[in-house]
Amino acid sequence: MIVFKFGGASVKDAEGIQNLAKILAHYSDKKIFCVVSAMGKTTNALEQILTKVWAKESAFEFIEHLKNYHLQTAMELELDIDVIIELNEIFERLELQLNNIDQKGDYNFYYDQIVSYGELLSTTIVHHFLAESELENWLVHAKDLIRTDNRYGDAEVNWELTQANLQKLCEGKLTGTILTQGFIGGDSEGNCTTLGREGSDFSAAIIAHCINAESVSIWKDVAGVLTADPRIMQETQKFEQISYQDAAEMTYYGAVVIHPKTILPLSQKGIPLYVKPFLQPEASGTVISHEKGQDLPTYIYKFNQTLISFATRDSSFIHEKNLSDILKELSNCHIHANLMQNSATSFSVIFDSRKVAFTQLTNALQEHFSIKYNHELTLLTIKNYLEENVALAKINKDFLIEQKTRNTFQLLYK
């Protein structure tokens, strides 16, 4: 069996979903486990809706816009009226959950319940379009397959239960494509959990690992893994081959082409990962495996970063106990450090800006530390840098932090 993953850009509209069906039809001689993300920017929209509701503001217009987007796509695909009714019922459940939000409860719990609707909507549309295109498929809810703990917002996988669920499913007499949602898991209480932002790649890797898949293919709107985001830099090169280790480093630094957690479960079983162009399915793309690839200078940008610095209130040195307290709260707030730096009297952390998490962190530590921060920063990482790359990167930059190792240069700037 092979595993395919189609991201939000691949299923953002009717044309994309039609192209997905063509790709599946091309591989009709294979048994496929297909993982599908939310359509387009749906997850962002659901996050915005939750933010509005959490602040006790009206989200009606945002919900209606999102509903019309999905209903319009279904109508452009000429899906049956029963599908329209089903989509409306999903939105009714979404609105009911939004109405039942208690601001005294766990924000991360509500986050997982709300944002998971994006994948439920997309897979409902894809499932019915494939069926009407005479492509047999079985839609299975990911929360019944990928079992996790209840660390909402960034759940940990229970590999033993997940493997048992997936193997039982694949041992059944199902024919055609198995279709499920990316990004979603389920806890022991039957609640939805999520695997981290942009976690659909990880979903595909979990499934592949548990069923010993032949390969995983992630279908993207780019030619493969490139040396930079083509939306930012015009001159890029495509990697034909990348090792698991190099790919893991790139994702850690923020390369958005693959989710950071994707590599490990595949490398453990030696399952190759193909990053393929969605609009050119015959093209080679990039393969990630144990084989070493080229060492090309690679530019990775992370925008909307927050720099926060902690100093002891009595001007004493930062010591191990201080660091332990700060790192513990970072974990409690589900904050992943993209860069850390310490001096004798302060400790600084750079992470993706999230208002709720930032507030939780500062509230937890402000009693013991003096806190300074900057928002709306950019973190540039150059892997396999040359000195001329560094010199050019620093031109006209108002930078706050610079770090350099043997193979990696990082610059945080306004």
Side-chain angles (χ1 to χ4, degrees):
M1 178 174 280
I2 58 177
V3 178
F4 282 177
K5 179 263 176 173
F6 294 91
S10 300
V11 293
K12 66 181 180 180
D13 52 26
E15 184 179 359
I17 294 171
Q18 289 166 341
N19 196 43
L20 179 154
K22 291 177 183 177
I23 291 173
L24 292 181
H26 180 75
Y27 289 88
S28 59
D29 59 326
K30 295 278 191 179
K31 192 163 185 180
I32 301 172
F33 210 126
C34 184
V35 176
V36 176
S37 299
M39 292 171 53
K41 300 297 183 181
T42 295
T43 301
N44 291 344
L46 287 165
E47 288 177 340
Q48 192 173 24
I49 288 167
L50 177 59
T51 299
K52 286 281 186 183
V53 173
W54 193 258
K56 298 185 178 181
E57 299 174 3
S58 173
F60 176 78
E61 292 185 9
F62 296 89
I63 296 169
E64 286 300 299
H65 179 77
L66 192 62
K67 182 190 294 185
N68 292 335
Y69 169 48
H70 286 82
L71 294 179
Q72 180 64 32
T73 301
M75 288 186 285
E76 289 176 10
L77 292 169
E78 299 181 350
L79 296 179
D80 191 83
I81 187 62
D82 289 341
V83 182
I84 305 299
I85 294 171
E86 185 176 350
L87 292 172
N88 274 307
E89 289 173 346
I90 293 173
F91 273 99
E92 288 174 5
R93 296 200 299 273
L94 168 62
E95 292 182 61
L96 180 62
Q97 286 206 295
L98 288 167
N99 290 335
N100 288 332
I101 283 178
D102 179 2
Q103 280 77 5
K104 294 180 181 179
D106 180 2
Y107 176 86
N108 291 312
F109 169 79
Y110 291 115
Y111 177 92
D112 283 7
Q113 310 320 304
I114 299 307
V115 299
S116 60
Y117 275 89
E119 276 72 13
L120 298 178
L121 289 161
S122 64
T123 51
T124 297
I125 293 173
V126 170
H127 165 61
H128 287 291
F129 180 72
L130 293 178
E132 293 193 14
S133 302
E134 299 184 351
L135 291 169
E136 186 178 13
N137 72 102
W138 300 83
L139 177 57
V140 185
H141 200 314
K143 77 173 183 178
D144 297 325
L145 298 176
I146 298 178
R147 181 61 62 84
T148 73
D149 63 9
N150 60 0
R151 180 174 164 146
Y152 301 109
D154 192 14
E156 292 290 330
V157 177
N158 183 320
W159 288 93
E160 183 177 354
L161 290 177
T162 299
Q163 182 160 326
N165 291 339
L166 285 162
Q167 288 184 345
K168 181 179 179 181
L169 175 68
C170 292
E171 287 168 1
K173 297 185 181 297
L174 296 181
T175 57
T177 297
I178 301 173
L179 178 67
T180 196
Q181 301 85 18
F183 182 48
I184 299 175
D187 65 15
S188 59
E189 302 298 318
N191 298 309
C192 276
T193 59
T194 61
L195 304 173
R197 196 67 164 83
E198 308 289 348
S200 293
D201 294 350
F202 186 36
S203 299
I206 293 167
I207 291 167
H209 177 97
C210 290
I211 66 173
N212 296 310
E214 177 184 332
S215 65
V216 175
S217 294
I218 296 176
W219 298 90
K220 306 285 291 186
D221 57 351
V222 290
V225 180
L226 307 177
T227 53
D229 188 331
R231 296 170 296 184
I232 302 171
M233 297 181 65
Q234 291 185 345
E235 295 184 8
T236 64
Q237 291 178 264
K238 180 173 75 76
F239 289 94
E240 297 296 331
Q241 169 77 45
I242 304 178
S243 69
Y244 291 125
Q245 181 176 346
D246 285 341
E249 288 184 12
M250 290 170 64
T251 61
Y252 175 82
Y253 293 127
V256 296
V257 71
I258 310 164
H259 188 273
K261 295 181 180 179
T262 305
I263 303 301
L264 180 59
L266 299 180
S267 65
Q268 289 173 333
K269 296 264 182 102
I271 299 170
L273 171 62
Y274 296 90
V275 180
K276 303 268 286 179
F278 181 68
L279 296 177
Q280 296 177 292
E282 300 298 330
S284 61
T286 301
V287 59
I288 300 171
S289 68
H290 285 301
E291 298 296 323
K292 178 69 176 173
Q294 312 110 292
D295 287 330
L296 301 175
T298 305
Y299 294 76
I300 303 164
Y301 290 84
K302 284 183 75 71
F303 300 102
N304 195 26
Q305 298 293 291
T306 289
L307 165 65
I308 186 166
S309 299
F310 302 94
T312 55
R313 289 196 173 276
D314 60 3
S315 299
S316 62
F317 293 144
I318 286 281
H319 52 70
E320 285 75 10
K321 176 64 168 60
N322 301 137
L323 297 178
S324 176
D325 292 341
I326 295 169
L327 294 173
K328 180 181 178 181
E329 289 305 326
L330 288 171
S331 177
N332 289 342
C333 297
H334 298 182
I335 292 174
H336 300 280
N338 296 324
L339 188 68
M340 294 184 287
Q341 188 172 84
N342 69 289
S343 66
T345 58
S346 70
F347 178 71
S348 299
V349 183
I350 296 90
F351 55 88
D352 298 343
S353 296
R354 289 189 293 124
K355 184 177 180 180
V356 172
F358 172 79
T359 302
Q360 289 175 340
L361 180 66
T362 53
N363 286 345
L365 293 172
Q366 62 186 354
E367 181 180 348
H368 302 290
F369 296 94
S370 174
I371 300 173
K372 296 181 179 179
Y373 57 86
N374 299 82
H375 294 306
E376 299 183 4
L377 305 176
T378 297
L379 177 62
L380 167 63
T381 301
I382 307 178
K383 192 174 181 297
N384 301 319
Y385 69 90
L386 303 174
E387 287 302 329
E388 53 262 41
N389 304 140
V390 172
L392 287 171
K394 293 167 68 173
I395 293 176
N396 297 326
K397 298 277 196 323
D398 182 8
F399 58 89
L400 303 175
I401 290 179
E402 174 185 353
Q403 281 190 12
K404 187 187 291 186
T405 65
R406 289 186 181 90
N407 299 311
T408 304
F409 169 77
Q410 293 185 281
L411 191 72
L412 182 73
Y413 62 93
K414 296 180 181 180

